[in-house]
Amino acid sequence: MAIAMAWHKPDNVAGSSAPAIMVGLFVATGGLLFGYDTGTISGILAMSAFRKQFNTGYLDPKDKELNVSPAQSAQIVAILSAGTFFGALMAAPLGDRLGRRLSLIIAVAIFSFGVLLQTIAMAIPLLISGRFFAGVGVGVISVLVPLYQSEMAPKWIRGTLVCAYQLAITVGLFLAAVINIITERIDGVNAFRIPLALQFLWAGVLLLGLMLLPETPRYLIKRNLHAAAASSLSRLRRLDITHPALIEELAEIEANHEYELSLGTATYRDVFLGSPHLGRRLLTGCGLQMLQQLSGCNFIFYYGTTFFSFVGIKSPFVIALVTNIVNVVSTVPGMILVESIGRRRLLMIGAGGMAICQLIVGAVGTVVPKVAAANIVLIVFVCIFIFFFAASWGPVVWVVTSEIYPLKVRAKSMSISIASNWILNFAIAYGTPYLVNNGPSYANLESKIFFLWGFFCVVSFIFVWAMVYETSKISLEQIDELYERVDRAWNSQAFQPSWSFQEMRDEGASSSGIQLTEDLARQRTGTSQSQTESTASMSEEDKIIAQLGDVDLSY
């Protein structure tokens, strides 16, 4: 029943949503690049061939064998997140100037250059350089893939399509775990070179597909390319360019953009201080992205193999594979529930479940460490934690971040929000070895680290209740009305759109009393004055809209 409710196309939606769904699912494979890279490095750090090749004389106190030091391990893992931070900040100017699609192509090329450096590296400095460039590419992709998906998807399945980005991340983590198990016993450098080089395959598939995909209609409207926007939307909705339903959707996008422009220019100052409530929206996006990292998810995926080995669990590679299988499978319920029960409720359920699991793991690992029965409990509740994360905070954070910002600042706001994710990702990746390991200048927290993650999961529950608005089942353009009319997040679930931006444009005023310019108020409304003065110079699209008169986007 839930699947039918979430994935059934409404009867009043004209055309076919299949092209947009297929495009959204394909471009989601950008998440595969990040997921695979993250999973690969987790296993590679534990490979004996890697330890022999990249050690600089450090003797691991746990097994008395050569290894990279905790500081070097932190640098190797965390430098990717440093690159993603800068890549996320680059995504806004790239995406706004060159377009979403072309910027994604450039990002894949940068990522591939980083993979090349990693594959040929035989010493830590070149490996770190390669991971930095790969991180820059992943950072741009992490902003533009959800942005691309949200801008071209029909509203009734928008959340599910953006969730597919997180599903691709989990598939990448799973593939990396499988490849690591296959190659970890190979003698020599091929043990880690093969997993690294396979990243070219995923990047190549994505690059070839991006060559064929259309640009998003909303970006083309932003660039005043109305004919190209109509053509792109026609391709995505499988409707003729003159179909009334397509014209309605296009006209609503245009009217919303004109309304936003009437409020002022789109500068970085507006990202923080703009209307309606852009500062609050940015705080919501940044808070969600940071709390996603502070839930402890990437502690498991970055250092899971070495941590399970450290606490005395045999076959840590197999346990890492099991956790990744749970991660992939558990993402599917999130893709269904994000539309049927909504973003807000799903995030709160997930935060509560994650908090309970993290606190249990911390308590068991601290009270009875390195005991067989305790290790079983630890593994079980880590898997339950992954279920709650993968079904809620893993995918839904990307959904909310991709849809709460208006078009004029969407790329800028998303880049700042996701950059906050990556800076926390960097801090956790770099700081974790110092927090968990024992020895001079190390915190020696071991399993106690889970108490910290559990605390932040409780904070996450409170944050969602206070800050996250319910945005399911309304268009991207109607989210502006939501933030104008609803003062408190906990009241947002009862919101119903009462007007369209076309109506506002035609009347020349917003609900808050902001007056649009006379030119914008008359543009494409089909009034008698515009018809008599400019019929000769109107485009075919303008004539069709004029004939339709006032229309409202109802799908």
Side-chain angles (χ1 to χ4, degrees), residues 45-61:
L45 287 173
M47 290 182 181
S48 57
F50 179 87
R51 295 171 61 170
K52 291 176 183 177
Q53 179 63 45
F54 288 91
N55 81 87
T56 55
Y58 173 79
L59 196 65
D60 195 321

Side-chain angles (χ1 to χ4, degrees), residues 228-302:
S231 176
S232 174
L233 194 61
S234 172
R235 183 177 171 186
L236 290 170
R237 301 293 184 262
R238 200 172 287 173
L239 289 171
D240 188 86
I241 199 170
T242 60
H243 194 285
L246 186 140
I247 294 170
E248 287 183 28
E249 184 170 1
L250 189 67
E252 179 71 359
I253 296 170
E254 293 177 4
N256 171 251
H257 183 52
E258 291 165 2
Y259 165 70
E260 291 174 3
L261 291 179
S262 74
L263 302 180
T265 57
T267 64
Y268 274 97
R269 182 179 181 276
D270 295 300
V271 169
F272 295 92
L273 302 175
S275 177
H277 304 296
L278 297 189
R280 183 195 300 175
R281 299 198 222 184
L282 183 67
L283 177 61
T284 301
C286 290
L288 286 174
Q289 292 286 346
M290 290 189 288
L291 288 169
Q292 184 195 58
Q293 291 300 313
L294 291 170
S295 69
C297 59
N298 277 336
F299 167 77
I300 295 170
F301 296 126
Y302 278 139

Side-chain angles (χ1 to χ4, degrees), residues 152-190:
M152 64 86 204
K155 71 178 182 182
W156 66 272
I157 201 170
R158 183 179 66 236
T160 298
L161 287 183
V162 179
C163 282
Y165 175 69
Q166 177 66 21
L167 178 64
I169 294 176
T170 66
V171 171
L173 288 163
F174 169 73
L175 289 175
V178 173
I179 299 300
N180 284 339
I181 288 177
I182 294 173
T183 64
E184 59 113 356
R185 297 189 182 279
I186 296 177
D187 293 329
V189 296
N190 286 337

